[in-house]
Amino acid sequence: QKEVEQNSGPLSVPEGAIASLNCTYSDRGSQSFFWYRQYSGKSPELIMSIYSNGDKEDGRFTAQLNKASQYVSLLIRDSQPSDSATYLCAVNLIIQGAQKLVFGQGTRLTINP
Amino acid sequence: EAGVVQSPRYKIIEKKQPVAFWCNPISGHNTLYWYLQNLGQGPELLIRYENEEAVDDSQLPKDRFSAERLKGVDSTLKIQPAELGDSAVYLCASSLGLKGIRETQYFGPGTRLLVL
């Protein structure tokens, strides 16, 4: 099992709809979770971080964390074509005693006008 | 505030040649990271520095890769000799180095390496 898993997609969503991106992780002790957006040919850009169970909202973005089920999700409301990108889930894991940010492979999202 | 700066942005070399990448972190960020990102994959950590000390280099292929962070600011990542499989994007990131769970990493634009 990979430490952080995402569906690689592509995920295709019509403009104006809700895009739902999911991520599962292996370490039950993880405490911090991040969503990065990466446009093609660009570097990852942090869009959300979440540390407690429940929902965290920031504009059109909502991050959801369920530590018991070891999953974190990102919802994008009123999806726009500019949201088309790869979304990377990153989880702080303890590996061999050291804290390390581990990324999933990313989900490629396409918003169709 | 300036972000993480990397150079060069693109590099094309022949196999067996050496190559070096440079990174300047965000001012005041004590922790610096080098990541490797292959096409269609997420970034993978190569090495992490806290100030000038390499505290995690377990994923750095030490037979051909080396890194340094003199004076705890700028860093250089070197490959010698380069192999075809080294073609990838090399990302530098930095963070404040507070060691809490809210430690956030910020990425530079990356160096896209193509080995022919």
Side-chain angles (χ1 to χ4, degrees), chain A residues 20-76:
Chain A
S20 177
L21 305 161
N22 299 311
C23 171
T24 58
Y25 58 94
S26 60
D27 184 358
R28 189 173 289 276
S30 299
Q31 298 186 63
S32 48
F33 309 85
F34 305 87
W35 284 100
Y36 284 82
R37 177 177 61 199
Q38 187 171 29
Y39 291 113
S40 181
K42 303 295 185 182
S43 61
E45 171 194 11
L46 180 69
I47 54 172
M48 289 286 285
S49 57
I50 187 166
Y51 311 101
S52 305
N53 277 329
D55 295 359
K56 178 182 178 183
E57 188 174 318
D58 184 0
R60 295 186 297 110
F61 298 96
T62 299
Q64 299 175 318
L65 176 61
N66 184 324
K67 290 185 179 180
S69 300
Q70 294 174 238
Y71 85 78
V72 58
S73 62
L74 179 70
L75 301 179
I76 307 174

Tab-separated table of all heavy atoms in Angstrom, chain A residues 20-76:
chain	number	residue	atom	x	y	z
A	20	SER	N	-14.967	16.815	-6.702
A	20	SER	CA	-14.621	16.141	-5.449
A	20	SER	C	-13.367	15.303	-5.653
A	20	SER	O	-13.333	14.402	-6.491
A	20	SER	CB	-15.789	15.249	-5.005
A	20	SER	OG	-15.445	14.551	-3.833
A	21	LEU	N	-12.347	15.617	-4.872
A	21	LEU	CA	-11.061	14.933	-4.984
A	21	LEU	C	-10.777	14.220	-3.668
A	21	LEU	O	-10.963	14.795	-2.593
A	21	LEU	CB	-9.958	15.956	-5.275
A	21	LEU	CG	-10.200	16.834	-6.511
A	21	LEU	CD1	-9.343	18.075	-6.465
A	21	LEU	CD2	-9.924	16.041	-7.764
A	22	ASN	N	-10.329	12.983	-3.755
A	22	ASN	CA	-10.136	12.180	-2.554
A	22	ASN	C	-8.711	11.691	-2.396
A	22	ASN	O	-7.978	11.531	-3.386
A	22	ASN	CB	-11.077	10.969	-2.598
A	22	ASN	CG	-12.523	11.399	-2.652
A	22	ASN	OD1	-12.964	12.235	-1.883
A	22	ASN	ND2	-13.264	10.850	-3.600
A	23	CYS	N	-8.353	11.426	-1.154
A	23	CYS	CA	-6.985	11.003	-0.830
A	23	CYS	C	-7.056	10.129	0.414
A	23	CYS	O	-7.764	10.461	1.374
A	23	CYS	CB	-6.135	12.251	-0.586
A	23	CYS	SG	-4.480	11.971	0.068
A	24	THR	N	-6.340	9.006	0.419
A	24	THR	CA	-6.229	8.183	1.618
A	24	THR	C	-4.767	8.076	2.011
A	24	THR	O	-3.872	8.224	1.173
A	24	THR	CB	-6.804	6.770	1.400
A	24	THR	OG1	-6.102	6.154	0.316
A	24	THR	CG2	-8.283	6.829	1.088
A	25	TYR	N	-4.528	7.838	3.304
A	25	TYR	CA	-3.151	7.773	3.774
A	25	TYR	C	-3.004	6.622	4.745
A	25	TYR	O	-3.974	6.142	5.330
A	25	TYR	CB	-2.735	9.101	4.419
A	25	TYR	CG	-3.596	9.527	5.578
A	25	TYR	CD1	-3.252	9.208	6.899
A	25	TYR	CD2	-4.774	10.246	5.373
A	25	TYR	CE1	-4.041	9.597	7.962
A	25	TYR	CE2	-5.568	10.638	6.426
A	25	TYR	CZ	-5.200	10.313	7.708
A	25	TYR	OH	-5.995	10.691	8.766
A	26	SER	N	-1.769	6.168	4.916
A	26	SER	CA	-1.535	4.929	5.643
A	26	SER	C	-1.240	5.121	7.131
A	26	SER	O	-1.505	4.221	7.932
A	26	SER	CB	-0.361	4.175	5.007
A	26	SER	OG	0.816	4.978	5.062
A	27	ASP	N	-0.677	6.288	7.511
A	27	ASP	CA	-0.219	6.473	8.891
A	27	ASP	C	-1.320	7.093	9.751
A	27	ASP	O	-1.642	8.266	9.602
A	27	ASP	CB	1.030	7.357	8.902
A	27	ASP	CG	1.627	7.513	10.291
A	27	ASP	OD1	1.057	6.974	11.276
A	27	ASP	OD2	2.665	8.178	10.404
A	28	ARG	N	-1.864	6.321	10.664
A	28	ARG	CA	-2.954	6.796	11.510
A	28	ARG	C	-2.514	7.954	12.403
A	28	ARG	O	-3.331	8.729	12.884
A	28	ARG	CB	-3.476	5.631	12.357
A	28	ARG	CG	-4.735	5.902	13.119
A	28	ARG	CD	-5.245	4.620	13.783
A	28	ARG	NE	-5.775	3.683	12.799
A	28	ARG	CZ	-7.016	3.747	12.328
A	28	ARG	NH1	-7.839	4.699	12.718
A	28	ARG	NH2	-7.423	2.854	11.452
A	29	GLY	N	-1.207	8.096	12.620
A	29	GLY	CA	-0.711	9.151	13.496
A	29	GLY	C	-0.490	10.485	12.806
A	29	GLY	O	-0.087	11.458	13.449
A	30	SER	N	-0.767	10.584	11.517
A	30	SER	CA	-0.543	11.828	10.776
A	30	SER	C	-1.414	12.937	11.332
A	30	SER	O	-2.557	12.712	11.720
A	30	SER	CB	-0.853	11.615	9.291
A	30	SER	OG	0.002	10.638	8.746
A	31	GLN	N	-0.845	14.156	11.378
A	31	GLN	CA	-1.562	15.273	11.985
A	31	GLN	C	-1.769	16.454	11.049
A	31	GLN	O	-2.525	17.365	11.381
A	31	GLN	CB	-0.797	15.758	13.211
A	31	GLN	CG	-0.668	14.718	14.315
A	31	GLN	CD	-0.035	15.313	15.549
A	31	GLN	OE1	-0.575	16.224	16.170
A	31	GLN	NE2	1.141	14.817	15.889
A	32	SER	N	-1.081	16.495	9.925
A	32	SER	CA	-1.244	17.658	9.045
A	32	SER	C	-1.349	17.205	7.596
A	32	SER	O	-0.649	16.287	7.170
A	32	SER	CB	-0.109	18.660	9.245
A	32	SER	OG	1.134	18.027	9.234
A	33	PHE	N	-2.249	17.909	6.887
A	33	PHE	CA	-2.656	17.477	5.554
A	33	PHE	C	-2.770	18.706	4.656
A	33	PHE	O	-3.270	19.751	5.095
A	33	PHE	CB	-4.007	16.749	5.639
A	33	PHE	CG	-4.017	15.670	6.675
A	33	PHE	CD1	-4.286	15.970	8.001
A	33	PHE	CD2	-3.727	14.362	6.329
A	33	PHE	CE1	-4.258	14.986	8.982
A	33	PHE	CE2	-3.699	13.366	7.296
A	33	PHE	CZ	-3.962	13.679	8.619
A	34	PHE	N	-2.310	18.558	3.442
A	34	PHE	CA	-2.238	19.710	2.549
A	34	PHE	C	-2.751	19.338	1.163
A	34	PHE	O	-2.577	18.204	0.703
A	34	PHE	CB	-0.776	20.188	2.423
A	34	PHE	CG	-0.114	20.496	3.748
A	34	PHE	CD1	0.511	19.498	4.467
A	34	PHE	CD2	-0.127	21.775	4.260
A	34	PHE	CE1	1.117	19.765	5.690
A	34	PHE	CE2	0.478	22.058	5.478
A	34	PHE	CZ	1.100	21.053	6.189
A	35	TRP	N	-3.360	20.305	0.522
A	35	TRP	CA	-3.710	20.183	-0.893
A	35	TRP	C	-2.932	21.230	-1.674
A	35	TRP	O	-2.973	22.425	-1.351
A	35	TRP	CB	-5.208	20.388	-1.110
A	35	TRP	CG	-6.032	19.204	-0.716
A	35	TRP	CD1	-6.734	19.023	0.440
A	35	TRP	CD2	-6.239	18.016	-1.496
A	35	TRP	NE1	-7.351	17.804	0.432
A	35	TRP	CE2	-7.076	17.164	-0.743
A	35	TRP	CE3	-5.816	17.590	-2.755
A	35	TRP	CZ2	-7.495	15.908	-1.204
A	35	TRP	CZ3	-6.222	16.352	-3.216
A	35	TRP	CH2	-7.053	15.530	-2.455
A	36	TYR	N	-2.214	20.751	-2.690
A	36	TYR	CA	-1.481	21.626	-3.596
A	36	TYR	C	-2.123	21.526	-4.982
A	36	TYR	O	-2.556	20.456	-5.406
A	36	TYR	CB	-0.009	21.203	-3.703
A	36	TYR	CG	0.856	21.567	-2.516
A	36	TYR	CD1	0.874	20.780	-1.367
A	36	TYR	CD2	1.671	22.698	-2.553
A	36	TYR	CE1	1.693	21.112	-0.285
A	36	TYR	CE2	2.497	23.028	-1.478
A	36	TYR	CZ	2.493	22.233	-0.353
A	36	TYR	OH	3.304	22.566	0.712
A	37	ARG	N	-2.137	22.632	-5.698
A	37	ARG	CA	-2.584	22.667	-7.081
A	37	ARG	C	-1.356	22.850	-7.966
A	37	ARG	O	-0.487	23.679	-7.670
A	37	ARG	CB	-3.560	23.825	-7.295
A	37	ARG	CG	-4.045	24.004	-8.719
A	37	ARG	CD	-5.064	25.133	-8.788
A	37	ARG	NE	-4.482	26.401	-8.374
A	37	ARG	CZ	-5.205	27.456	-7.982
A	37	ARG	NH1	-6.528	27.384	-7.950
A	37	ARG	NH2	-4.601	28.577	-7.635
A	38	GLN	N	-1.301	22.098	-9.055
A	38	GLN	CA	-0.155	22.189	-9.947
A	38	GLN	C	-0.650	22.291	-11.386
A	38	GLN	O	-1.202	21.327	-11.933
A	38	GLN	CB	0.790	20.986	-9.786
A	38	GLN	CG	2.081	21.123	-10.568
A	38	GLN	CD	3.091	20.043	-10.245
A	38	GLN	OE1	2.735	18.930	-9.880
A	38	GLN	NE2	4.384	20.369	-10.375
A	39	TYR	N	-0.472	23.465	-11.965
A	39	TYR	CA	-0.781	23.629	-13.375
A	39	TYR	C	0.326	22.976	-14.199
A	39	TYR	O	1.470	22.863	-13.745
A	39	TYR	CB	-0.900	25.113	-13.740
A	39	TYR	CG	-2.110	25.798	-13.138
A	39	TYR	CD1	-1.966	26.792	-12.171
A	39	TYR	CD2	-3.397	25.445	-13.533
A	39	TYR	CE1	-3.067	27.427	-11.630
A	39	TYR	CE2	-4.508	26.067	-12.983
A	39	TYR	CZ	-4.332	27.048	-12.022
A	39	TYR	OH	-5.435	27.663	-11.478
A	40	SER	N	-0.015	22.577	-15.407
A	40	SER	CA	0.934	21.893	-16.278
A	40	SER	C	2.197	22.734	-16.483
A	40	SER	O	2.119	23.901	-16.862
A	40	SER	CB	0.276	21.598	-17.630
A	40	SER	OG	1.170	20.921	-18.478
A	41	GLY	N	3.337	22.151	-16.196
A	41	GLY	CA	4.609	22.840	-16.377
A	41	GLY	C	4.958	23.819	-15.276
A	41	GLY	O	5.967	24.516	-15.377
A	42	LYS	N	4.125	23.874	-14.235
A	42	LYS	CA	4.379	24.805	-13.124
A	42	LYS	C	4.662	24.034	-11.849
A	42	LYS	O	4.557	22.812	-11.801
A	42	LYS	CB	3.169	25.729	-12.921
A	42	LYS	CG	2.781	26.523	-14.155
A	42	LYS	CD	3.867	27.506	-14.541
A	42	LYS	CE	3.417	28.378	-15.715
A	42	LYS	NZ	4.489	29.317	-16.140
A	43	SER	N	5.020	24.763	-10.800
A	43	SER	CA	5.337	24.122	-9.532
A	43	SER	C	4.081	24.017	-8.662
A	43	SER	O	3.098	24.735	-8.887
A	43	SER	CB	6.422	24.912	-8.792
A	43	SER	OG	5.966	26.211	-8.513
A	44	PRO	N	4.088	23.138	-7.667
A	44	PRO	CA	2.926	23.015	-6.770
A	44	PRO	C	2.684	24.293	-5.980
A	44	PRO	O	3.626	24.913	-5.491
A	44	PRO	CB	3.331	21.855	-5.840
A	44	PRO	CG	4.379	21.096	-6.591
A	44	PRO	CD	5.121	22.127	-7.374
A	45	GLU	N	1.411	24.644	-5.836
A	45	GLU	CA	0.997	25.846	-5.125
A	45	GLU	C	0.035	25.424	-4.021
A	45	GLU	O	-0.977	24.762	-4.283
A	45	GLU	CB	0.304	26.792	-6.110
A	45	GLU	CG	-0.370	27.985	-5.487
A	45	GLU	CD	-1.310	28.660	-6.483
A	45	GLU	OE1	-1.590	28.094	-7.548
A	45	GLU	OE2	-1.791	29.765	-6.159
A	46	LEU	N	0.320	25.807	-2.784
A	46	LEU	CA	-0.537	25.418	-1.657
A	46	LEU	C	-1.887	26.128	-1.747
A	46	LEU	O	-1.944	27.350	-1.894
A	46	LEU	CB	0.142	25.779	-0.341
A	46	LEU	CG	-0.645	25.427	0.914
A	46	LEU	CD1	-0.707	23.912	1.098
A	46	LEU	CD2	-0.031	26.081	2.143
A	47	ILE	N	-2.974	25.348	-1.662
A	47	ILE	CA	-4.292	25.962	-1.658
A	47	ILE	C	-5.054	25.723	-0.363
A	47	ILE	O	-5.887	26.542	0.017
A	47	ILE	CB	-5.140	25.509	-2.869
A	47	ILE	CG1	-5.236	23.982	-2.955
A	47	ILE	CG2	-4.602	26.082	-4.161
A	47	ILE	CD1	-6.220	23.524	-4.009
A	48	MET	N	-4.790	24.622	0.333
A	48	MET	CA	-5.513	24.352	1.580
A	48	MET	C	-4.631	23.519	2.507
A	48	MET	O	-3.872	22.665	2.061
A	48	MET	CB	-6.800	23.566	1.325
A	48	MET	CG	-7.910	24.335	0.646
A	48	MET	SD	-8.702	25.500	1.746
A	48	MET	CE	-9.678	24.411	2.769
A	49	SER	N	-4.787	23.760	3.797
A	49	SER	CA	-4.191	22.889	4.799
A	49	SER	C	-5.272	22.582	5.831
A	49	SER	O	-6.164	23.392	6.066
A	49	SER	CB	-2.994	23.562	5.477
A	49	SER	OG	-3.380	24.790	6.067
A	50	ILE	N	-5.217	21.403	6.425
A	50	ILE	CA	-6.211	21.025	7.430
A	50	ILE	C	-5.543	20.145	8.471
A	50	ILE	O	-4.685	19.309	8.135
A	50	ILE	CB	-7.432	20.337	6.774
A	50	ILE	CG1	-8.540	20.100	7.797
A	50	ILE	CG2	-7.034	19.064	6.056
A	50	ILE	CD1	-9.886	19.741	7.172
A	51	TYR	N	-5.928	20.355	9.756
A	51	TYR	CA	-5.248	19.661	10.839
A	51	TYR	C	-6.220	18.929	11.769
A	51	TYR	O	-5.813	18.040	12.517
A	51	TYR	CB	-4.422	20.648	11.662
A	51	TYR	CG	-3.543	21.537	10.816
A	51	TYR	CD1	-3.911	22.850	10.534
A	51	TYR	CD2	-2.356	21.053	10.273
A	51	TYR	CE1	-3.113	23.661	9.741
A	51	TYR	CE2	-1.555	21.864	9.471
A	51	TYR	CZ	-1.939	23.154	9.219
A	51	TYR	OH	-1.150	23.947	8.421
A	52	SER	N	-7.502	19.318	11.740
A	52	SER	CA	-8.493	18.734	12.649
A	52	SER	C	-9.590	18.059	11.850
A	52	SER	O	-9.882	18.453	10.715
A	52	SER	CB	-9.124	19.821	13.519
A	52	SER	OG	-8.137	20.553	14.212
A	53	ASN	N	-10.230	17.063	12.465
A	53	ASN	CA	-11.353	16.400	11.818
A	53	ASN	C	-12.455	17.405	11.485
A	53	ASN	O	-12.676	18.371	12.219
A	53	ASN	CB	-11.937	15.322	12.736
A	53	ASN	CG	-11.186	14.022	12.655
A	53	ASN	OD1	-10.628	13.674	11.620
A	53	ASN	ND2	-11.148	13.302	13.759
A	54	GLY	N	-13.113	17.166	10.355
A	54	GLY	CA	-14.213	18.031	9.971
A	54	GLY	C	-13.912	18.761	8.687
A	54	GLY	O	-13.083	18.333	7.889
A	55	ASP	N	-14.605	19.865	8.493
A	55	ASP	CA	-14.500	20.642	7.276
A	55	ASP	C	-13.776	21.956	7.528
A	55	ASP	O	-13.900	22.555	8.594
A	55	ASP	CB	-15.895	20.954	6.717
A	55	ASP	CG	-16.642	19.705	6.280
A	55	ASP	OD1	-16.076	18.600	6.395
A	55	ASP	OD2	-17.787	19.839	5.822
A	56	LYS	N	-13.056	22.398	6.506
A	56	LYS	CA	-12.432	23.719	6.542
A	56	LYS	C	-12.705	24.374	5.197
A	56	LYS	O	-12.374	23.802	4.158
A	56	LYS	CB	-10.920	23.610	6.781
A	56	LYS	CG	-10.205	24.953	6.781
A	56	LYS	CD	-8.710	24.775	6.971
A	56	LYS	CE	-7.992	26.104	6.912
A	56	LYS	NZ	-6.506	25.927	7.036
A	57	GLU	N	-13.322	25.557	5.234
A	57	GLU	CA	-13.735	26.217	4.013
A	57	GLU	C	-12.882	27.451	3.747
A	57	GLU	O	-12.533	28.204	4.656
A	57	GLU	CB	-15.217	26.623	4.128
A	57	GLU	CG	-15.828	27.162	2.858
A	57	GLU	CD	-17.327	27.395	3.012
A	57	GLU	OE1	-18.004	26.550	3.612
A	57	GLU	OE2	-17.801	28.452	2.537
A	58	ASP	N	-12.557	27.660	2.466
A	58	ASP	CA	-11.825	28.854	2.055
A	58	ASP	C	-12.304	29.206	0.646
A	58	ASP	O	-11.873	28.597	-0.336
A	58	ASP	CB	-10.317	28.596	2.062
A	58	ASP	CG	-9.513	29.845	1.723
A	58	ASP	OD1	-10.116	30.916	1.477
A	58	ASP	OD2	-8.268	29.764	1.683
A	59	GLY	N	-13.226	30.153	0.581
A	59	GLY	CA	-13.788	30.528	-0.704
A	59	GLY	C	-14.553	29.374	-1.326
A	59	GLY	O	-15.435	28.789	-0.691
A	60	ARG	N	-14.206	29.020	-2.548
A	60	ARG	CA	-14.893	27.911	-3.222
A	60	ARG	C	-14.334	26.546	-2.829
A	60	ARG	O	-14.853	25.518	-3.265
A	60	ARG	CB	-14.775	28.093	-4.732
A	60	ARG	CG	-15.488	29.328	-5.283
A	60	ARG	CD	-15.454	29.376	-6.807
A	60	ARG	NE	-14.105	29.491	-7.352
A	60	ARG	CZ	-13.478	28.515	-8.011
A	60	ARG	NH1	-14.083	27.346	-8.218
A	60	ARG	NH2	-12.260	28.707	-8.477
A	61	PHE	N	-13.292	26.523	-2.022
A	61	PHE	CA	-12.630	25.274	-1.643
A	61	PHE	C	-13.042	24.845	-0.228
A	61	PHE	O	-13.120	25.669	0.686
A	61	PHE	CB	-11.108	25.438	-1.677
A	61	PHE	CG	-10.554	25.763	-3.042
A	61	PHE	CD1	-10.298	27.073	-3.407
A	61	PHE	CD2	-10.294	24.765	-3.955
A	61	PHE	CE1	-9.794	27.375	-4.656
A	61	PHE	CE2	-9.782	25.054	-5.212
A	61	PHE	CZ	-9.527	26.368	-5.569
A	62	THR	N	-13.299	23.546	-0.074
A	62	THR	CA	-13.548	22.956	1.245
A	62	THR	C	-12.704	21.707	1.378
A	62	THR	O	-12.788	20.807	0.530
A	62	THR	CB	-15.026	22.590	1.437
A	62	THR	OG1	-15.825	23.765	1.342
A	62	THR	CG2	-15.245	21.947	2.808
A	63	ALA	N	-11.890	21.668	2.412
A	63	ALA	CA	-11.138	20.455	2.729
A	63	ALA	C	-11.879	19.713	3.824
A	63	ALA	O	-12.420	20.317	4.747
A	63	ALA	CB	-9.725	20.806	3.179
A	64	GLN	N	-11.921	18.390	3.706
A	64	GLN	CA	-12.590	17.550	4.692
A	64	GLN	C	-11.598	16.509	5.183
A	64	GLN	O	-10.903	15.884	4.382
A	64	GLN	CB	-13.802	16.859	4.064
A	64	GLN	CG	-14.850	17.825	3.553
A	64	GLN	CD	-15.990	17.102	2.836
A	64	GLN	OE1	-15.751	16.171	2.072
A	64	GLN	NE2	-17.220	17.541	3.080
A	65	LEU	N	-11.543	16.317	6.496
A	65	LEU	CA	-10.619	15.364	7.088
A	65	LEU	C	-11.365	14.396	7.982
A	65	LEU	O	-12.171	14.812	8.825
A	65	LEU	CB	-9.548	16.100	7.891
A	65	LEU	CG	-8.546	15.250	8.673
A	65	LEU	CD1	-7.745	14.342	7.743
A	65	LEU	CD2	-7.616	16.128	9.502
A	66	ASN	N	-11.095	13.120	7.815
A	66	ASN	CA	-11.645	12.070	8.668
A	66	ASN	C	-10.481	11.176	9.077
A	66	ASN	O	-10.069	10.291	8.334
A	66	ASN	CB	-12.710	11.273	7.909
A	66	ASN	CG	-13.374	10.234	8.787
A	66	ASN	OD1	-12.742	9.618	9.654
A	66	ASN	ND2	-14.658	10.015	8.585
A	67	LYS	N	-9.950	11.436	10.272
A	67	LYS	CA	-8.762	10.698	10.711
A	67	LYS	C	-9.082	9.236	11.017
A	67	LYS	O	-8.235	8.365	10.824
A	67	LYS	CB	-8.142	11.369	11.932
A	67	LYS	CG	-7.494	12.715	11.636
A	67	LYS	CD	-6.797	13.272	12.870
A	67	LYS	CE	-6.130	14.611	12.560
A	67	LYS	NZ	-5.437	15.157	13.760
A	68	ALA	N	-10.294	8.954	11.481
A	68	ALA	CA	-10.663	7.570	11.801
A	68	ALA	C	-10.637	6.706	10.537
A	68	ALA	O	-10.217	5.545	10.571
A	68	ALA	CB	-12.041	7.526	12.452
A	69	SER	N	-11.088	7.277	9.437
A	69	SER	CA	-11.103	6.550	8.164
A	69	SER	C	-9.854	6.805	7.336
A	69	SER	O	-9.695	6.230	6.259
A	69	SER	CB	-12.348	6.936	7.358
A	69	SER	OG	-13.520	6.621	8.087
A	70	GLN	N	-9.004	7.685	7.810
A	70	GLN	CA	-7.729	7.996	7.155
A	70	GLN	C	-7.933	8.489	5.727
A	70	GLN	O	-7.306	7.986	4.779
A	70	GLN	CB	-6.788	6.780	7.210
A	70	GLN	CG	-6.367	6.459	8.635
A	70	GLN	CD	-5.555	5.183	8.748
A	70	GLN	OE1	-5.928	4.257	9.453
A	70	GLN	NE2	-4.450	5.134	8.047
A	71	TYR	N	-8.844	9.446	5.585
A	71	TYR	CA	-8.989	10.059	4.279
A	71	TYR	C	-9.167	11.561	4.418
A	71	TYR	O	-9.652	12.079	5.422
A	71	TYR	CB	-10.118	9.440	3.451
A	71	TYR	CG	-11.487	9.993	3.710
A	71	TYR	CD1	-11.914	11.213	3.189
A	71	TYR	CD2	-12.399	9.259	4.461
A	71	TYR	CE1	-13.182	11.714	3.428
A	71	TYR	CE2	-13.671	9.741	4.710
A	71	TYR	CZ	-14.055	10.963	4.184
A	71	TYR	OH	-15.303	11.459	4.439
A	72	VAL	N	-8.741	12.235	3.383
A	72	VAL	CA	-8.901	13.681	3.289
A	72	VAL	C	-9.399	13.989	1.880
A	72	VAL	O	-8.987	13.340	0.923
A	72	VAL	CB	-7.580	14.409	3.619
A	72	VAL	CG1	-6.452	13.980	2.719
A	72	VAL	CG2	-7.751	15.907	3.577
A	73	SER	N	-10.316	14.936	1.782
A	73	SER	CA	-10.876	15.249	0.476
A	73	SER	C	-10.860	16.762	0.246
A	73	SER	O	-10.715	17.554	1.180
A	73	SER	CB	-12.300	14.698	0.342
A	73	SER	OG	-13.131	15.296	1.312
A	74	LEU	N	-10.999	17.126	-0.996
A	74	LEU	CA	-11.074	18.532	-1.390
A	74	LEU	C	-12.285	18.695	-2.297
A	74	LEU	O	-12.412	17.971	-3.287
A	74	LEU	CB	-9.810	18.971	-2.129
A	74	LEU	CG	-9.788	20.423	-2.612
A	74	LEU	CD1	-9.667	21.371	-1.419
A	74	LEU	CD2	-8.629	20.653	-3.588
A	75	LEU	N	-13.170	19.614	-1.935
A	75	LEU	CA	-14.313	19.944	-2.768
A	75	LEU	C	-14.095	21.319	-3.381
A	75	LEU	O	-13.683	22.253	-2.685
A	75	LEU	CB	-15.606	19.963	-1.937
A	75	LEU	CG	-15.981	18.671	-1.206
A	75	LEU	CD1	-17.268	18.879	-0.410
A	75	LEU	CD2	-16.153	17.527	-2.191
A	76	ILE	N	-14.384	21.421	-4.657
A	76	ILE	CA	-14.320	22.707	-5.343
A	76	ILE	C	-15.717	23.022	-5.850
A	76	ILE	O	-16.247	22.311	-6.719
A	76	ILE	CB	-13.321	22.683	-6.522
A	76	ILE	CG1	-11.949	22.176	-6.061
A	76	ILE	CG2	-13.194	24.076	-7.137
A	76	ILE	CD1	-10.947	21.992	-7.194
